[in-house]
């Protein structure tokens, strides 16, 4: 836990200070998505009581910005997949509990958390669903239409259709970025120290993931 907290603090140093308090949508969902990673990790380890909170955070992150849609789906796939695989493995390893036994009563509350997660999902997505039904078109439909027609209305397509003089002025305006421009973080070349530290942190996280997976396999392989 301490090592994870220290790694998060170090990774936060790679972010601009505006990202920690900015109301820009991609920045607003950054730390909730980090929370979602740990929630899905806990789900994959079998903690089904975090299902409602996971659905709440996933809904918030997804509705904050479309950038988080695919990563959120991937995290939920890992968490729910691990939760289901762990449940199946435990059922195969243990005999079926007798009706009314303590083991059967301990499994019953899991469905309550699933029902609570479904209820939370209904509350979180009620407003988009109502807007989609009553709107002509709804917000979700507009998002799909915008994504489907982005090629004809993209900045690159319009820039190619400009006259040479206007095109040069547009390119100069785009390149004239300041430190307050969010695109400056993408265009600016990181220093060697930032690159080396990022590679070292990613390598350490990869080694920790491999070691944790190996320990999990050893625990499951122990005779009971």
């Amino acid at each position: 836990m301490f090592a994870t907290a220290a790694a998060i603090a170090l990774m936060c140093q790679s972010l601009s200070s505006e990202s920690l308090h900015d109301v820009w949508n991609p920045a607003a969902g950054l730390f909730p998505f980090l929370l979602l990673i740990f929630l899905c990790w806990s789900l994959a380890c079998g903690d089904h009581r975090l299902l409602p909170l996971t659905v709440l955070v996933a809904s918030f992150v997804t509705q904050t910005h479309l950038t988080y849609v695919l990563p959120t789906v991937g995290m939920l796939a890992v968490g729910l997949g691990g939760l289901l695989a762990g449940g199946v493995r435990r059922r195969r390893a243990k005999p079926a509990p007798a009706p009314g036994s303590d083991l059967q009563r301990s499994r019953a509350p899991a469905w309550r958390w699933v029902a609570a997660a479904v209820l939370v999902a209904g509350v979180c997505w009620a407003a988009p669903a109502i807007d989609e039904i009553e709107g002509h078109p709804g917000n979700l439909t507009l998002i799909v239409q915008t994504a489907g027609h982005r090629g004809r209305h993209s900045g690159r397509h319009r820039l190619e259709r400009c006259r040479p003089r206007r095109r040069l002025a547009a390119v100069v305006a785009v390149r004239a970025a300041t430190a307050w421009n969010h695109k400056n973080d993408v265009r600016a070349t990181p220093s060697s120290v930032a690159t080396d530290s990022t590679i070292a942190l990613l390598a350490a996280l990869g080694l920790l993931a491999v070691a944790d997976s190996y320990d999990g396999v050893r625990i499951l392989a122990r005779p009971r």
Side-chain angles (χ1 to χ4, degrees):
M1 294 293 292
F2 178 78
T4 303
I8 293 174
L10 290 175
M11 292 296 292
C12 288
Q13 297 300 316
S14 64
L15 302 174
S16 60
S17 59
E18 292 80 16
S19 300
L20 302 179
H21 56 78
D22 201 352
V23 295
W24 193 44
N25 280 21
L30 184 61
F31 284 98
F33 181 73
L34 177 62
L35 174 61
L36 180 64
I37 294 176
F38 287 101
L39 289 174
C40 292
W41 186 358
S42 300
L43 280 182
C45 293
D47 196 351
H48 59 270
R49 295 171 296 180
L50 293 176
L51 272 172
L53 181 59
T54 303
V55 172
L56 176 63
V57 176
S59 300
F60 173 80
V61 171
T62 303
Q63 296 180 26
T64 299
H65 200 269
L66 293 178
T67 307
Y68 297 103
V69 172
L70 291 181
T72 300
V73 172
M75 288 294 101
L76 291 177
V78 172
L80 297 178
L83 183 63
L84 293 176
V88 172
R89 185 169 56 247
R90 286 190 295 270
R91 287 179 180 274
R92 291 180 177 179
K94 297 180 180 180
S101 62
D102 294 338
L103 182 58
Q104 187 185 38
R105 285 193 295 269
S106 64
R107 290 180 178 178
W111 296 105
R112 300 176 184 174
W113 295 104
V114 174
V118 173
L119 179 61
V120 171
V123 173
C124 291
W125 291 95
I130 294 174
D131 177 76
E132 187 65 23
I133 295 173
E134 295 183 351
H136 302 285
N139 193 28
L140 297 178
T141 302
L142 292 175
I143 292 175
V144 174
Q145 292 177 354
T146 303
H149 296 81
R150 61 185 300 182
R152 294 186 299 173
H153 302 282
S154 61
R156 179 181 177 183
H157 182 76
R158 293 182 177 180
L159 184 62
E160 290 175 351
R161 297 181 61 183
C162 290
R163 295 178 181 178
R165 184 178 298 177
R166 294 182 180 180
R167 186 185 306 172
L168 178 61
V171 172
V172 172
V174 170
R175 290 184 177 178
T178 63
W180 301 99
N181 193 339
H182 291 288
K183 298 183 179 62
N184 188 47
D185 296 335
V186 180
R187 288 195 296 266
T189 302
S191 62
S192 59
V193 176
T195 303
D196 295 339
S197 61
T198 302
I199 295 174
L201 286 174
L202 291 176
L205 290 175
L207 292 176
L208 289 174
V210 172
D212 185 72
S213 301
Y214 178 72
D215 292 339
V217 171
R218 289 182 57 187
I219 293 174
L220 293 176
R222 290 178 182 175
R224 298 181 180 180

